Amino acid sequence: MPCFDDTSKAGGPSATSGRASELILVVEDDVALQKLIDKCLAKIGHRTVGAVDGASALECLERCVPRLMLLDYSLPDMRGEQLLELIESRGGHVPFVVATGHGSESVAVEMMKRGAYDYLIKGPAFIQMLPTVVDRALERVRQAERLAQAEEQLHRAHDELEHRVRQRTAELAEANQRLRVEMEERRRAEDQLHQHQAELAHVARLSTMGEMVAELAHELNQPLSAICSYAQACKRLLESDGEDRFDELPASLNQVSEQANRAAGIIRRLRRFVAKAKPMQTSVDVNAMIREVAELTSIDARQAKAEVAFHLTEPLPPIVGDRIQLEQVLVNLMRNAFEALRECERDSPRVVIHTETVGRGQIVVGVEDNGAGIPAEIVEHVFDRFFTTKPDGMGMGLPISQSIIENHSGRLWVSQDPGRGTTFHFTLPIDTGDHSRAE
Ligand code: ADP
């Protein structure tokens, strides 16, 4: 009878209320003691399966899974620790309580180190102690199992979390990559747009010059005629034999040189205005720029018989921007103002140019005329491309000006008083010394 099952005696629910019935493998070569143990454990509601030596214990473990093993340390065929090693080598594991003979406490200690849940000394109190020790060991087994389960769940949760983190990181990396590509594409598109805007602005400048060419010819004609007259006067003086002929000569020659400088100035301004330069961010003195543009458009002012007044804040902090493009904005706004004045034939036509600083780090420029104003029904269209009310207008001046100002991080808008005039305003950022936007 190497291995015997005693489950029939105490199967099913616990005989003792509140206790779970567990299957216990009793490895004990003393058959009489074995029976006593069975009885004792049955009393507290447990089932037993018995083995009289190590070999039969191993056989039992192939057929059933006991919750606990009560292991007699000294078996006929092996010692308790050898049996444990054999169980382990077969991939098994049974929680155990070790029973040792009287005087073998050191063995019990050794077995506790090897993982025993408790120990019992085979002595007079053995059977008496058995229920307490077995139940305590079973409780510890359950606790250990609960702990193992909790650890397992924790591991699974950790693995799951790690998996999710990896997944999310991969998603984020992908999104980042997409964003990088999109940003690169957007930057390229913006570069292209800037390039096109610069080209468009250049074409518009050439076209403005085309429109102004007759007036410019007239403008140039003045100093050239003056030069001719002064040169003739010099010649006459040289040909005359008057005593004081050399006295007047320097003054006339000075006039020749002054008028030549004036003509050269006109040509210089024109060349700069139509230059196809790359957009360049520099520090710009807006008041000086306004005066220069007023010179450039002085013929339009004369034709409109308009007085040009400057209400400029002095000193005005420099702004950062592309001077040629900003001049173009001013030329567009001022020529529109003069054209509006020509059309309405006011008594005292007037264009006033204002500058002031506003808010945080900005200046605002205003170009104000006292023309007829913009009718309410068209004012919201004046910045549309190709919108014009002029027979030979292109409708590009204001949209180009708007995109130039927006490229300078500013804003262009119109305020007006129908019948009394129009003011175009634009803002520009004050130069902080950082020209990193320069292209
Ligand atoms: P264009 O001058 O070729 O018509 P713009 O884009 O410069 O193109 O102007 C669009 C329209 O806005 C003009 O045709 C005109 O009707 C209106 N406008 C612009 N400036 C003024 C102004 N100062 N007074 C009245 N109307 C104006």
Side-chain angles (χ1 to χ4, degrees):
M1 192 180 58
C3 168
F4 50 89
D5 194 340
D6 197 27
T7 52
S8 55
K9 292 178 200 161
S14 165
T16 319
S17 63
R19 269 195 195 110
S21 167
E22 303 288 6
L23 179 63
I24 296 166
L25 169 60
V26 181
V27 188
E28 174 58 63
D29 59 335
D30 180 339
V31 178
L33 183 58
Q34 173 85 252
K35 281 200 172 136
L36 260 177
I37 294 171
D38 287 350
K39 247 192 214 156
C40 174
L41 292 180
K43 261 193 200 153
I44 56 169
H46 299 307
R47 295 162 293 141
T48 51
V49 57
V52 289
D53 52 23
S56 52
L58 289 170
E59 247 174 63
C60 272
L61 289 174
E62 276 171 18
R63 285 189 286 111
C64 61
V65 186
R67 200 69 187 274
L68 189 72
M69 173 166 70
L70 181 62
L71 175 62
D72 181 11
Y73 181 75
S74 308
L75 296 169
D77 54 347
M78 60 184 82
R79 282 193 317 280
E81 70 219 36
Q82 284 173 311
L83 176 60
L84 292 173
E85 274 161 21
L86 282 168
I87 294 172
E88 255 170 50
S89 70
R90 292 171 184 207
H93 171 76
V94 194
F96 67 100
V97 169
V98 71
T100 60
H102 197 59
S104 316
E105 283 80 357
S106 59
V107 171
V109 171
E110 199 48 42
M111 291 305 278
M112 289 298 283
K113 283 187 195 156
R114 292 198 64 132
Y117 275 75
D118 214 335
Y119 68 92
L120 275 162
I121 305 293
K122 285 186 188 167
F126 177 77
I127 289 297
Q128 199 188 339
M129 294 289 294
L130 187 63
T132 315
V133 171
V134 164
D135 273 343
R136 200 166 54 199
L138 280 169
E139 188 45 43
R140 282 188 199 145
V141 168
R142 286 187 205 106
Q143 269 175 7
E145 280 172 3
R146 281 198 293 273
L147 195 70
Q149 259 173 19
E151 270 174 6
E152 173 64 23
Q153 275 170 0
L154 202 69
H155 268 124
R156 269 209 301 273
H158 180 260
D159 288 353
E160 169 77 358
L161 197 70
E162 228 174 36
H163 174 69
R164 279 202 212 152
V165 167
R166 265 200 303 272
Q167 211 173 13
R168 191 81 194 106
T169 310
E171 280 169 15
L172 284 175
E174 207 178 303
N176 257 349
Q177 178 59 20
R178 272 203 307 273
L179 199 69
R180 258 199 297 277
V181 171
E182 258 172 45
M183 276 166 65
E184 184 56 28
E185 277 170 9
R186 191 170 299 182
R187 201 188 55 74
R188 238 179 285 139
E190 268 173 15
D191 283 356
Q192 257 175 15
L193 188 71
H194 281 155
Q195 174 79 13
H196 286 160
Q197 277 173 341
E199 277 165 16
L200 191 64
H202 179 240
V203 170
R205 283 202 298 277
L206 289 180
S207 139
T208 308
M209 279 301 109
E211 288 167 25
M212 289 168 77
V213 78
E215 293 94 350
L216 286 167
H218 173 73
E219 175 87 352
L220 271 175
N221 214 23
Q222 283 185 339
L224 292 179
S225 309
I227 290 169
C228 268
S229 312
Y230 286 116
Q232 294 283 350
C234 291
K235 189 168 168 246
R236 271 199 308 277
L237 279 172
L238 287 172
E239 283 168 358
S240 75
D241 45 10
E243 285 283 297
D244 53 357
R245 58 187 171 146
F246 291 113
D247 297 349
E248 288 174 37
L249 211 50
S252 295
L253 284 173
N254 267 348
Q255 283 295 338
V256 168
S257 124
E258 222 170 80
Q259 294 300 324
N261 277 339
R262 195 177 142 202
I266 295 170
I267 289 167
R268 201 170 43 243
R269 279 197 298 277
L270 286 179
R271 282 183 56 182
R272 225 186 51 198
F273 187 66
V274 296
K276 193 178 180 187
K278 272 189 99 191
M280 210 167 63
Q281 305 280 318
T282 53
S283 189
V284 179
D285 175 348
V286 174
N287 286 347
M289 181 176 76
I290 287 170
R291 290 202 178 90
E292 190 153 323
V293 170
E295 284 275 318
L296 200 64
T297 54
S298 57
I299 312 156
D300 296 84
R302 229 171 293 140
Q303 282 179 347
K305 301 186 180 64
E307 177 202 348
V308 179
F310 301 97
H311 290 181
L312 307 180
T313 297
E314 299 276 9
L316 188 71
I319 59 95
V320 63
D322 183 278
R323 185 179 169 123
I324 296 177
Q325 289 191 0
L326 295 174
E327 279 183 5
Q328 187 171 0
V329 173
L330 275 168
V331 167
N332 289 342
L333 299 183
M334 288 176 70
R335 293 196 74 219
N336 276 348
F338 295 131
E339 276 169 23
L341 291 173
R342 261 209 320 251
E343 274 167 26
C344 78
E345 295 179 355
R346 271 244 183 274
D347 277 349
S348 38
R350 192 171 136 91
V351 170
V352 185
I353 304 167
H354 312 259
T355 55
E356 55 188 310
T357 51
V358 281
R360 268 183 277 136
Q362 287 200 313
I363 65 156
V364 64
V365 179
V367 179
E368 176 190 339
D369 66 65
N370 59 348
I374 307 173
E377 65 276 13
I378 67 164
V379 70
E380 64 192 56
H381 297 295
V382 294
F383 292 104
D384 294 349
R385 277 165 187 245
F386 309 119
F387 175 84
T388 182
T389 54
K390 300 169 193 167
D392 51 356
M394 287 215 308
M396 286 306 289
L398 289 179
I400 286 177
S401 302
Q402 192 172 47
S403 83
I404 290 175
I405 293 299
E406 282 172 3
N407 280 344
H408 283 76
S409 310
R411 198 165 73 83
L412 170 66
W413 73 100
V414 62
S415 66
Q416 52 112 31
D417 193 357
R420 301 181 66 172
T422 308
T423 308
F424 280 90
H425 315 257
F426 61 88
T427 55
L428 288 170
I430 288 174
D431 187 3
T432 55
D434 172 17
H435 292 199
S436 55
R437 290 193 317 135
E439 279 155 74

Tab-separated table of all heavy atoms in Angstrom, residues 37-81:
chain	number	residue	atom	x	y	z
A	37	ILE	N	-3.212	10.491	11.789
A	37	ILE	CA	-3.159	11.809	11.115
A	37	ILE	C	-4.413	12.005	10.263
A	37	ILE	O	-5.062	13.051	10.295
A	37	ILE	CB	-1.876	11.938	10.250
A	37	ILE	CG1	-0.631	11.943	11.160
A	37	ILE	CG2	-1.920	13.186	9.383
A	37	ILE	CD1	0.701	11.855	10.423
A	38	ASP	N	-4.740	10.950	9.482
A	38	ASP	CA	-5.928	11.040	8.605
A	38	ASP	C	-7.150	11.415	9.416
A	38	ASP	O	-7.923	12.297	9.037
A	38	ASP	CB	-6.191	9.679	7.939
A	38	ASP	CG	-5.157	9.395	6.859
A	38	ASP	OD1	-4.388	10.349	6.525
A	38	ASP	OD2	-5.094	8.254	6.371
A	39	LYS	N	-7.294	10.673	10.500
A	39	LYS	CA	-8.468	10.886	11.349
A	39	LYS	C	-8.510	12.322	11.870
A	39	LYS	O	-9.542	12.999	11.831
A	39	LYS	CB	-8.412	9.924	12.551
A	39	LYS	CG	-9.514	8.882	12.505
A	39	LYS	CD	-9.575	8.180	13.834
A	39	LYS	CE	-9.971	6.717	13.577
A	39	LYS	NZ	-9.556	5.832	14.625
A	40	CYS	N	-7.358	12.723	12.368
A	40	CYS	CA	-7.264	14.065	12.962
A	40	CYS	C	-7.606	15.141	11.933
A	40	CYS	O	-8.338	16.086	12.200
A	40	CYS	CB	-5.855	14.232	13.508
A	40	CYS	SG	-5.533	15.867	14.098
A	41	LEU	N	-7.066	14.961	10.706
A	41	LEU	CA	-7.306	15.979	9.668
A	41	LEU	C	-8.743	15.923	9.171
A	41	LEU	O	-9.343	16.950	8.834
A	41	LEU	CB	-6.316	15.809	8.515
A	41	LEU	CG	-4.853	16.123	8.888
A	41	LEU	CD1	-3.938	15.919	7.676
A	41	LEU	CD2	-4.698	17.560	9.396
A	42	ALA	N	-9.298	14.692	9.143
A	42	ALA	CA	-10.695	14.548	8.718
A	42	ALA	C	-11.604	15.307	9.676
A	42	ALA	O	-12.584	15.919	9.264
A	42	ALA	CB	-11.081	13.074	8.666
A	43	LYS	N	-11.207	15.256	10.937
A	43	LYS	CA	-12.015	15.952	11.938
A	43	LYS	C	-12.116	17.452	11.650
A	43	LYS	O	-13.125	18.083	11.942
A	43	LYS	CB	-11.383	15.758	13.335
A	43	LYS	CG	-12.044	14.669	14.124
A	43	LYS	CD	-11.588	14.775	15.562
A	43	LYS	CE	-11.847	13.427	16.242
A	43	LYS	NZ	-10.935	13.207	17.351
A	44	ILE	N	-11.053	17.999	11.114
A	44	ILE	CA	-11.121	19.450	10.828
A	44	ILE	C	-11.466	19.696	9.354
A	44	ILE	O	-11.243	20.794	8.803
A	44	ILE	CB	-9.821	20.176	11.237
A	44	ILE	CG1	-8.604	19.553	10.554
A	44	ILE	CG2	-9.655	20.190	12.750
A	44	ILE	CD1	-7.340	20.368	10.696
A	45	GLY	N	-12.018	18.651	8.716
A	45	GLY	CA	-12.643	18.857	7.402
A	45	GLY	C	-11.754	18.647	6.203
A	45	GLY	O	-12.161	18.945	5.082
A	46	HIS	N	-10.529	18.139	6.394
A	46	HIS	CA	-9.660	17.980	5.228
A	46	HIS	C	-9.658	16.553	4.727
A	46	HIS	O	-9.942	15.613	5.458
A	46	HIS	CB	-8.231	18.406	5.579
A	46	HIS	CG	-8.134	19.838	5.988
A	46	HIS	ND1	-8.633	20.862	5.219
A	46	HIS	CD2	-7.628	20.418	7.117
A	46	HIS	CE1	-8.440	21.999	5.836
A	46	HIS	NE2	-7.837	21.754	7.004
A	47	ARG	N	-9.342	16.413	3.447
A	47	ARG	CA	-9.196	15.084	2.859
A	47	ARG	C	-7.716	14.761	2.810
A	47	ARG	O	-6.903	15.704	2.714
A	47	ARG	CB	-9.773	15.074	1.445
A	47	ARG	CG	-11.266	15.304	1.426
A	47	ARG	CD	-11.724	15.719	0.052
A	47	ARG	NE	-11.197	17.032	-0.309
A	47	ARG	CZ	-10.773	17.351	-1.516
A	47	ARG	NH1	-10.829	16.464	-2.496
A	47	ARG	NH2	-10.304	18.540	-1.760
A	48	THR	N	-7.395	13.497	2.841
A	48	THR	CA	-5.971	13.148	2.804
A	48	THR	C	-5.731	12.116	1.723
A	48	THR	O	-6.616	11.373	1.312
A	48	THR	CB	-5.502	12.546	4.138
A	48	THR	OG1	-6.391	11.498	4.493
A	48	THR	CG2	-5.471	13.588	5.232
A	49	VAL	N	-4.498	12.135	1.258
A	49	VAL	CA	-4.013	11.071	0.386
A	49	VAL	C	-2.670	10.682	1.000
A	49	VAL	O	-1.892	11.557	1.384
A	49	VAL	CB	-3.958	11.550	-1.091
A	49	VAL	CG1	-3.108	12.775	-1.256
A	49	VAL	CG2	-3.493	10.456	-2.006
A	50	GLY	N	-2.432	9.370	1.155
A	50	GLY	CA	-1.260	8.967	1.905
A	50	GLY	C	-0.196	8.308	1.037
A	50	GLY	O	-0.491	7.700	0.020
A	51	ALA	N	1.074	8.467	1.463
A	51	ALA	CA	2.195	7.792	0.801
A	51	ALA	C	3.154	7.354	1.900
A	51	ALA	O	3.367	8.093	2.860
A	51	ALA	CB	2.874	8.754	-0.164
A	52	VAL	N	3.700	6.093	1.744
A	52	VAL	CA	4.555	5.571	2.811
A	52	VAL	C	6.042	5.804	2.546
A	52	VAL	O	6.869	5.589	3.418
A	52	VAL	CB	4.297	4.053	3.030
A	52	VAL	CG1	2.936	3.830	3.671
A	52	VAL	CG2	4.457	3.274	1.738
A	53	ASP	N	6.370	6.243	1.325
A	53	ASP	CA	7.777	6.544	1.049
A	53	ASP	C	7.856	7.600	-0.065
A	53	ASP	O	6.827	8.028	-0.609
A	53	ASP	CB	8.543	5.272	0.662
A	53	ASP	CG	7.868	4.501	-0.451
A	53	ASP	OD1	7.085	5.163	-1.218
A	53	ASP	OD2	8.089	3.280	-0.571
A	54	GLY	N	9.084	7.978	-0.414
A	54	GLY	CA	9.279	9.026	-1.409
A	54	GLY	C	8.735	8.622	-2.765
A	54	GLY	O	8.068	9.432	-3.440
A	55	ALA	N	9.007	7.381	-3.192
A	55	ALA	CA	8.584	6.939	-4.528
A	55	ALA	C	7.070	7.004	-4.642
A	55	ALA	O	6.528	7.499	-5.659
A	55	ALA	CB	9.089	5.524	-4.768
A	56	SER	N	6.353	6.511	-3.599
A	56	SER	CA	4.895	6.515	-3.703
A	56	SER	C	4.350	7.948	-3.613
A	56	SER	O	3.320	8.277	-4.204
A	56	SER	CB	4.243	5.613	-2.650
A	56	SER	OG	4.730	5.957	-1.377
A	57	ALA	N	5.069	8.818	-2.921
A	57	ALA	CA	4.646	10.228	-2.876
A	57	ALA	C	4.709	10.825	-4.280
A	57	ALA	O	3.794	11.537	-4.734
A	57	ALA	CB	5.536	11.009	-1.929
A	58	LEU	N	5.799	10.511	-5.002
A	58	LEU	CA	5.942	11.031	-6.375
A	58	LEU	C	4.813	10.506	-7.257
A	58	LEU	O	4.269	11.238	-8.097
A	58	LEU	CB	7.301	10.628	-6.963
A	58	LEU	CG	8.508	11.361	-6.344
A	58	LEU	CD1	9.828	10.728	-6.809
A	58	LEU	CD2	8.486	12.844	-6.712
A	59	GLU	N	4.499	9.193	-7.065
A	59	GLU	CA	3.392	8.586	-7.833
A	59	GLU	C	2.086	9.339	-7.578
A	59	GLU	O	1.340	9.670	-8.510
A	59	GLU	CB	3.199	7.147	-7.360
A	59	GLU	CG	3.551	6.095	-8.390
A	59	GLU	CD	3.459	4.718	-7.747
A	59	GLU	OE1	2.334	4.362	-7.347
A	59	GLU	OE2	4.514	4.057	-7.613
A	60	CYS	N	1.800	9.593	-6.289
A	60	CYS	CA	0.580	10.320	-5.902
A	60	CYS	C	0.493	11.656	-6.615
A	60	CYS	O	-0.555	12.068	-7.092
A	60	CYS	CB	0.585	10.595	-4.404
A	60	CYS	SG	-0.116	9.266	-3.473
A	61	LEU	N	1.651	12.342	-6.643
A	61	LEU	CA	1.653	13.703	-7.220
A	61	LEU	C	1.370	13.690	-8.714
A	61	LEU	O	1.034	14.722	-9.305
A	61	LEU	CB	2.994	14.393	-6.946
A	61	LEU	CG	3.185	14.780	-5.483
A	61	LEU	CD1	4.596	15.320	-5.233
A	61	LEU	CD2	2.153	15.834	-5.073
A	62	GLU	N	1.554	12.511	-9.333
A	62	GLU	CA	1.206	12.419	-10.758
A	62	GLU	C	-0.296	12.350	-10.929
A	62	GLU	O	-0.836	12.679	-11.980
A	62	GLU	CB	1.874	11.192	-11.380
A	62	GLU	CG	3.302	11.504	-11.794
A	62	GLU	CD	4.081	10.271	-12.209
A	62	GLU	OE1	3.437	9.248	-12.507
A	62	GLU	OE2	5.321	10.343	-12.187
A	63	ARG	N	-1.010	11.878	-9.887
A	63	ARG	CA	-2.459	11.678	-10.005
A	63	ARG	C	-3.274	12.823	-9.405
A	63	ARG	O	-4.403	13.045	-9.777
A	63	ARG	CB	-2.848	10.364	-9.308
A	63	ARG	CG	-2.451	9.137	-10.115
A	63	ARG	CD	-3.034	7.877	-9.530
A	63	ARG	NE	-2.346	7.475	-8.301
A	63	ARG	CZ	-2.872	7.523	-7.097
A	63	ARG	NH1	-4.085	7.971	-6.917
A	63	ARG	NH2	-2.193	7.104	-6.042
A	64	CYS	N	-2.715	13.471	-8.398
A	64	CYS	CA	-3.522	14.525	-7.766
A	64	CYS	C	-2.654	15.734	-7.402
A	64	CYS	O	-1.434	15.665	-7.443
A	64	CYS	CB	-4.196	13.974	-6.518
A	64	CYS	SG	-3.016	13.415	-5.293
A	65	VAL	N	-3.352	16.839	-7.132
A	65	VAL	CA	-2.644	18.077	-6.787
A	65	VAL	C	-3.048	18.474	-5.359
A	65	VAL	O	-4.027	19.183	-5.155
A	65	VAL	CB	-3.011	19.217	-7.777
A	65	VAL	CG1	-2.167	20.454	-7.502
A	65	VAL	CG2	-2.878	18.767	-9.214
A	66	PRO	N	-2.302	17.992	-4.360
A	66	PRO	CA	-2.645	18.350	-2.980
A	66	PRO	C	-2.306	19.815	-2.706
A	66	PRO	O	-1.424	20.381	-3.334
A	66	PRO	CB	-1.761	17.434	-2.154
A	66	PRO	CG	-0.617	17.107	-3.044
A	66	PRO	CD	-1.092	17.172	-4.452
A	67	ARG	N	-3.040	20.369	-1.769
A	67	ARG	CA	-2.803	21.778	-1.419
A	67	ARG	C	-1.619	21.890	-0.471
A	67	ARG	O	-0.949	22.911	-0.410
A	67	ARG	CB	-4.065	22.298	-0.735
A	67	ARG	CG	-4.215	23.805	-0.725
A	67	ARG	CD	-4.470	24.292	-2.144
A	67	ARG	NE	-4.477	25.720	-2.248
A	67	ARG	CZ	-5.531	26.475	-2.027
A	67	ARG	NH1	-6.665	25.908	-1.702
A	67	ARG	NH2	-5.451	27.779	-2.153
A	68	LEU	N	-1.358	20.797	0.264
A	68	LEU	CA	-0.276	20.810	1.250
A	68	LEU	C	0.261	19.389	1.384
A	68	LEU	O	-0.472	18.417	1.184
A	68	LEU	CB	-0.815	21.290	2.610
A	68	LEU	CG	0.193	21.577	3.703
A	68	LEU	CD1	0.974	22.865	3.394
A	68	LEU	CD2	-0.510	21.727	5.055
A	69	MET	N	1.543	19.297	1.750
A	69	MET	CA	2.125	17.964	1.978
A	69	MET	C	2.668	17.963	3.411
A	69	MET	O	3.400	18.881	3.811
A	69	MET	CB	3.251	17.739	0.964
A	69	MET	CG	4.055	16.482	1.176
A	69	MET	SD	5.058	16.096	-0.289
A	69	MET	CE	6.265	17.388	-0.254
A	70	LEU	N	2.236	16.934	4.142
A	70	LEU	CA	2.808	16.747	5.484
A	70	LEU	C	3.921	15.731	5.290
A	70	LEU	O	3.674	14.564	4.979
A	70	LEU	CB	1.726	16.231	6.440
A	70	LEU	CG	2.184	16.016	7.866
A	70	LEU	CD1	2.645	17.320	8.510
A	70	LEU	CD2	1.053	15.411	8.703
A	71	LEU	N	5.161	16.190	5.416
A	71	LEU	CA	6.305	15.376	4.989
A	71	LEU	C	7.126	14.891	6.182
A	71	LEU	O	7.713	15.698	6.914
A	71	LEU	CB	7.167	16.243	4.046
A	71	LEU	CG	8.478	15.661	3.568
A	71	LEU	CD1	8.255	14.385	2.749
A	71	LEU	CD2	9.237	16.694	2.716
A	72	ASP	N	7.155	13.579	6.302
A	72	ASP	CA	8.033	12.977	7.311
A	72	ASP	C	9.447	13.088	6.758
A	72	ASP	O	9.720	12.691	5.614
A	72	ASP	CB	7.619	11.504	7.503
A	72	ASP	CG	8.486	10.827	8.559
A	72	ASP	OD1	9.228	11.563	9.256
A	72	ASP	OD2	8.412	9.602	8.682
A	73	TYR	N	10.341	13.632	7.564
A	73	TYR	CA	11.675	13.908	7.036
A	73	TYR	C	12.432	12.625	6.695
A	73	TYR	O	13.093	12.516	5.668
A	73	TYR	CB	12.474	14.753	8.041
A	73	TYR	CG	13.845	15.081	7.524
A	73	TYR	CD1	14.001	16.064	6.527
A	73	TYR	CD2	14.964	14.413	7.990
A	73	TYR	CE1	15.243	16.336	6.018
A	73	TYR	CE2	16.223	14.703	7.470
A	73	TYR	CZ	16.360	15.677	6.483
A	73	TYR	OH	17.591	15.950	5.964
A	74	SER	N	12.299	11.611	7.587
A	74	SER	CA	13.069	10.377	7.357
A	74	SER	C	12.149	9.321	6.759
A	74	SER	O	11.309	8.750	7.472
A	74	SER	CB	13.626	9.846	8.678
A	74	SER	OG	14.310	10.868	9.338
A	75	LEU	N	12.331	9.093	5.461
A	75	LEU	CA	11.521	8.090	4.764
A	75	LEU	C	12.393	6.867	4.518
A	75	LEU	O	13.631	6.985	4.504
A	75	LEU	CB	11.018	8.667	3.444
A	75	LEU	CG	10.065	9.864	3.587
A	75	LEU	CD1	9.828	10.526	2.248
A	75	LEU	CD2	8.750	9.406	4.212
A	76	PRO	N	11.776	5.726	4.288
A	76	PRO	CA	12.592	4.516	4.105
A	76	PRO	C	13.511	4.626	2.884
A	76	PRO	O	14.629	4.121	2.902
A	76	PRO	CB	11.542	3.411	3.892
A	76	PRO	CG	10.228	3.984	4.253
A	76	PRO	CD	10.335	5.459	4.296
A	77	ASP	N	13.077	5.285	1.810
A	77	ASP	CA	13.888	5.284	0.577
A	77	ASP	C	14.660	6.584	0.358
A	77	ASP	O	15.527	6.670	-0.494
A	77	ASP	CB	12.995	4.984	-0.643
A	77	ASP	CG	11.806	5.932	-0.744
A	77	ASP	OD1	11.531	6.660	0.259
A	77	ASP	OD2	11.169	5.977	-1.793
A	78	MET	N	14.335	7.644	1.072
A	78	MET	CA	15.082	8.905	0.870
A	78	MET	C	14.785	9.873	2.013
A	78	MET	O	13.846	9.653	2.787
A	78	MET	CB	14.729	9.546	-0.469
A	78	MET	CG	13.268	9.892	-0.602
A	78	MET	SD	12.844	10.544	-2.252
A	78	MET	CE	12.671	9.042	-3.194
A	79	ARG	N	15.582	10.934	2.054
A	79	ARG	CA	15.277	11.949	3.057
A	79	ARG	C	14.307	12.983	2.445
A	79	ARG	O	14.176	13.088	1.221
A	79	ARG	CB	16.560	12.657	3.481
A	79	ARG	CG	17.404	11.825	4.455
A	79	ARG	CD	18.498	12.670	5.096
A	79	ARG	NE	19.169	13.547	4.153
A	79	ARG	CZ	20.136	13.162	3.318
A	79	ARG	NH1	20.559	11.904	3.315
A	79	ARG	NH2	20.681	14.021	2.498
A	80	GLY	N	13.668	13.710	3.334
A	80	GLY	CA	12.663	14.692	2.902
A	80	GLY	C	13.186	15.652	1.828
A	80	GLY	O	12.534	15.918	0.823
A	81	GLU	N	14.429	16.145	2.038
A	81	GLU	CA	14.931	17.153	1.084
A	81	GLU	C	15.169	16.554	-0.296
A	81	GLU	O	15.022	17.227	-1.320
A	81	GLU	CB	16.203	17.817	1.616
A	81	GLU	CG	17.413	16.927	1.644
A	81	GLU	CD	18.251	17.159	2.905
A	81	GLU	OE1	17.631	17.419	3.956
A	81	GLU	OE2	19.471	17.088	2.813
